[in-house]
Amino acid sequence: MRATIMYGAGDVRIENIPDARVIEPTDAVMVVSRACICGSDLWPYNQREPSDTGRRLGHEAIGLVEAVGNEVRTIKRGDLVVMPFAYSDGTCTFCGHGLHTSCVHGGFFGIEGGEGAQAEAVRIPQADGTLFKLPVDKDDTLMPSLLTLADVMGTGHHAAIVAKVGPRMKVAVVGDGAVGLCGVIAARRLGAEQIIILGRHPDRIALAKQFGASDVVSERGEAAIERVRKLTDGFGVHSVLECVGLDEAMRTAIGIARPGGAVGRVGVPQGETMPASLPAFYNNVTVGGGPAPVRAYIDELLPDIMEGKIQPGKVFDRTVGLDDVPDGYRAMDKREAIKVMVEP
Ligand SMILES: [Zn+2]
């Protein structure tokens, strides 16, 4: 089968590799109908050291189950399923508490040495706990929005939950990538009264407004902090969704949180230490977050997608076949595309 392999920064290739197959009795094999490229894939795309072995990529997909191991009980051949970016057994103490990304039998797709979904097929560990059967067929027009349940919509929602977004609150979203845009959807959905998007790309800002952003702040650093304060009676916002991961973004996030506010961070941190520790301390700002347990949120978010209340699939502004995945990486990296969908 064909699959995406990254050998080093900027070096993404489509290659023939052995077919995905059931290895453990709890595995399934999923034939990929739709996958996509993630903003987090751009970190290795910019930084990975060259190597001869390469790594599989892709951690978001919808597909048809082709085979299951003999201990798989709830998922069947022929099911159309969405695959969250982390696999999980659904039964351990952490899964029981809705933190599937800490599953004791879990792991992540698209990491060094692991399975990747930007491919014709992918092996799914812990199939019963990981996969979520979708109530549609594979050509449904809702497919782009349903695909966001694998990561970006669930991740934006997680940022909003950790940032304690609630009715009538003032919210800021740092970052205008697909996750930030889904964060706007999530904040609106949870009843926020004011949603400030911090970003500077016109196409993304336009989409943020469509999704419910009320204010746009395109400044950076101190200037951004000042602008947000001006927009919020001088105090800052109750909730900040940090959807970037760079130190400057966290500094801004803490700087615009009002005393007693909360920052939900879902951008993968690119630094070892947490910036702005002192202002966070003196303002009693809660900073939390991490890899979103998107598997836990599908039950809640799916009905809103099915009913058309939210349309996170609008973040996809380009679709490529498997052969053009390398160009998809280039386009996202150059900010020519917000998010690229892959139809193998
Ligand atoms: Zn678990």
Side-chain angles (χ1 to χ4, degrees):
M1 68 172 197
R2 291 182 308 141
T4 305
I5 315 275
M6 182 184 288
Y7 284 90
D11 186 2
V12 174
R13 305 179 208 169
I14 307 303
E15 295 193 333
N16 278 303
I17 64 168
D19 284 350
R21 60 186 181 89
V22 169
I23 297 173
E24 301 293 332
T26 46
D27 288 349
V29 169
M30 183 181 93
V31 173
V32 176
S33 330
R34 315 263 180 135
C36 46
I37 302 174
C38 185
S40 65
D41 293 333
L42 297 179
W43 296 120
Y45 185 74
N46 281 294
Q47 296 168 359
R48 192 178 193 275
E49 294 293 325
S51 79
D52 295 333
T53 47
R55 79 181 238 193
R56 296 273 302 272
L57 287 162
H59 54 257
E60 305 149 274
I62 285 175
L64 284 166
V65 175
E66 186 186 59
V68 295
N70 57 26
E71 285 177 23
V72 175
R73 298 281 174 263
T74 58
I75 296 294
K76 296 181 306 296
R77 185 184 152 91
D79 286 348
L80 182 76
V81 291
V82 59
M83 148 201 143
F85 67 83
Y87 55 87
S88 54
D89 59 13
T91 55
C92 77
T93 181
F94 297 107
C95 287
H97 284 99
L99 194 58
H100 297 66
T101 41
S102 292
C103 177
V104 298
H105 298 115
F108 297 93
F109 293 101
I111 58 165
E112 294 289 341
E115 304 284 337
Q118 290 161 11
E120 287 181 305
V122 58
R123 179 177 75 93
I124 310 286
Q126 305 293 340
D128 278 332
T130 304
L131 297 174
F132 190 106
K133 188 172 188 275
L134 292 170
V136 294
D137 70 58
K138 79 178 174 61
D139 298 317
D140 197 280
T141 52
L142 291 176
M143 209 48 74
S145 285
L146 294 168
L147 180 57
T148 67
L149 293 171
D151 186 348
V152 289
M153 186 60 228
T155 296
H157 179 70
H158 185 58
I161 294 292
V162 175
K164 304 175 187 172
V165 175
R168 293 176 301 283
M169 285 168 56
K170 298 178 190 301
V171 176
V173 178
V174 179
D176 59 6
V179 170
L181 294 169
C182 288
V184 173
I185 295 176
R188 171 81 176 272
R189 201 181 153 272
L190 293 167
E193 162 194 276
Q194 182 181 19
I195 304 173
I196 303 168
I197 178 95
L198 282 82
R200 44 177 54 202
H201 303 90
D203 52 335
R204 298 167 185 223
I205 295 303
L207 198 49
K209 285 183 175 163
Q210 239 188 78
F211 285 161
S214 46
D215 301 277
V216 178
V217 169
S218 297
E219 290 88 343
R220 283 188 165 165
E222 280 304 315
I225 293 172
E226 216 163 284
R227 270 269 288 148
V228 172
R229 292 234 176 101
K230 270 194 191 127
L231 289 166
T232 52
D233 312 322
F235 292 130
V237 296
H238 302 92
S239 302
V240 187
L241 284 57
E242 198 281 279
C243 306
V244 179
L246 294 171
D247 282 359
E248 187 194 343
M250 180 54 82
R251 225 171 272 124
T252 302
I254 290 171
I256 60 180
R258 67 172 55 200
V263 175
R265 59 173 180 155
V266 291
V268 182
Q270 299 301 301
E272 277 279 308
T273 53
M274 180 106 65
S277 171
L278 277 181
F281 178 84
Y282 281 107
N283 289 321
N284 272 282
V285 172
T286 303
V287 179
V294 298
R295 181 64 177 77
Y297 297 137
I298 296 177
D299 275 322
E300 183 181 342
L301 298 171
L302 179 64
D304 280 17
I305 291 176
M306 296 304 294
E307 289 163 24
K309 286 185 187 162
I310 59 172
Q311 297 177 300
K314 287 184 173 178
V315 298
F316 294 107
D317 54 353
R318 189 172 297 199
T319 301
V320 298
L322 206 47
D323 287 330
D324 290 323
V325 165
D327 193 57
Y329 272 83
R330 188 202 54 75
M332 273 180 67
D333 190 47
K334 298 283 177 226
R335 304 293 186 267
E336 286 169 18
I338 301 174
K339 192 164 176 72
V340 174
M341 186 151 61
V342 180
E343 288 189 58

